[in-house]
Amino acid sequence: MTILLYDLVGSDMTRPFSPHCWKAAMALAHKGLDFRSMPTRFLEVPSVEGGASKTVPVIRDGDHVTSDSFAIALYLEQAYPGRPSLFAGAGGEAHARFIERWSQLTIHPYVGAAALTALHGMQDAANAAYFRESREARFGKTLEEVSAARDAGLQSFRASLEPLRSMLSYQPWIGGDGPLFADYIVFGALQWARIATPYQLLDAADPIAAWFGRCLELHDGLAGRVAAAA
């Protein structure tokens, strides 16, 4: 049975942008599971699966509904143990938990601010109004004021990625010899930026950029098929 993935989109339903939804999509593809993306806009999220979650991703697998990208990965690992592992054991799960928190606290704040006006521009009128009101309340500033600080923070952001950059000098993937869910966590954050804005977060010569390029090619180019923002 095809799994349904409720996937956050803007006015263009072919360009899912949520970092968390990308984590779930890559996890499903890693497991080799047949899934169908259900394009969902911000204002439609409360009605997904009868209000199953305040956020997406949400998946429906038969009678089972799961929300939250990490919970989805855990569910897939438990429900489909015979398929390629997302964690390669309990240690890998604990490792991915650390990567999740590192990504949320180090990558997401800068990306979210740098891409803020671009993300607003991706929405239709009603969702753009919701996005502006909710994000300006969160930041205490206009969207434009938040994004205006991205140039000043770029070098600091790149420097904050040095642990990842250094690790990639020892191994090709965060997961070691091959990608695991930990890779998809960081990938999702950078894919979020790639789809939303042409602003270059990474130097082209950065080893992280090379790793990201390899991620775009995984699973028959699932993520790379969505074009970068022009």
Side-chain angles (χ1 to χ4, degrees):
M1 182 178 296
T2 299
I3 296 172
L4 302 182
L5 167 64
Y6 292 89
D7 213 353
L8 192 63
V9 299
S11 57
D12 185 343
M13 292 192 296
T14 68
R15 296 178 60 75
F17 59 84
S18 163
H20 308 294
C21 293
W22 273 109
K23 285 185 270 182
M26 296 294 274
L28 287 159
H30 183 102
K31 284 287 190 183
L33 295 166
D34 184 28
F35 72 96
R36 179 159 57 95
S37 179
M38 305 290 287
T40 307
R41 297 187 176 97
F42 282 112
L43 293 175
E44 296 165 342
V45 172
S47 64
V48 166
E49 293 292 342
S53 175
K54 294 181 179 179
T55 61
V56 288
V58 172
I59 66 165
R60 170 173 283 281
D61 183 15
D63 293 332
H64 190 92
V65 174
T66 307
S67 61
D68 179 81
S69 58
F70 208 103
I72 288 169
L74 293 175
Y75 166 75
L76 296 176
E77 191 78 343
Q78 294 161 4
Y80 299 95
R83 292 175 178 266
S85 177
L86 288 163
F87 300 106
E93 181 182 327
H95 167 234
R97 283 285 188 194
F98 171 79
I99 296 296
E100 173 87 342
R101 299 320 307 152
W102 179 79
S103 179
Q104 292 275 14
L105 296 173
T106 302
I107 304 178
H108 280 238
Y110 181 79
V111 172
L116 201 59
T117 54
L119 288 164
H120 175 259
M122 294 176 70
Q123 314 307 315
D124 62 20
N127 284 277
Y130 160 79
F131 186 88
R132 179 175 288 278
E133 180 180 1
S134 61
R135 272 50 180 182
E136 290 184 348
R138 179 185 302 175
F139 285 100
K141 299 178 180 180
T142 67
L143 304 184
E144 292 74 16
E145 287 171 329
V146 174
S147 287
R150 67 185 183 182
D151 288 347
L154 181 60
Q155 291 308 312
S156 178
F157 169 72
R158 290 178 175 178
S160 75
L161 301 181
E162 186 56 33
L164 175 59
R165 192 174 294 115
S166 178
M167 188 214 66
L168 290 171
S169 70
Y170 291 90
Q171 59 197 55
W173 302 96
I174 301 173
D177 292 335
L180 293 175
F181 190 63
D183 288 270
Y184 305 143
I185 290 169
V186 179
F187 170 76
L190 298 179
Q191 176 78 330
W192 180 29
R194 174 181 172 269
I195 291 171
T197 175
Y199 190 73
Q200 294 300 305
L201 271 68
L202 300 173
D203 186 276
D206 193 327
I208 299 172
W211 163 85
F212 182 71
R214 295 196 300 273
C215 289
L216 290 171
E217 296 172 356
L218 290 170
H219 315 309
D220 298 321
L222 172 67
R225 289 197 292 270
V226 179

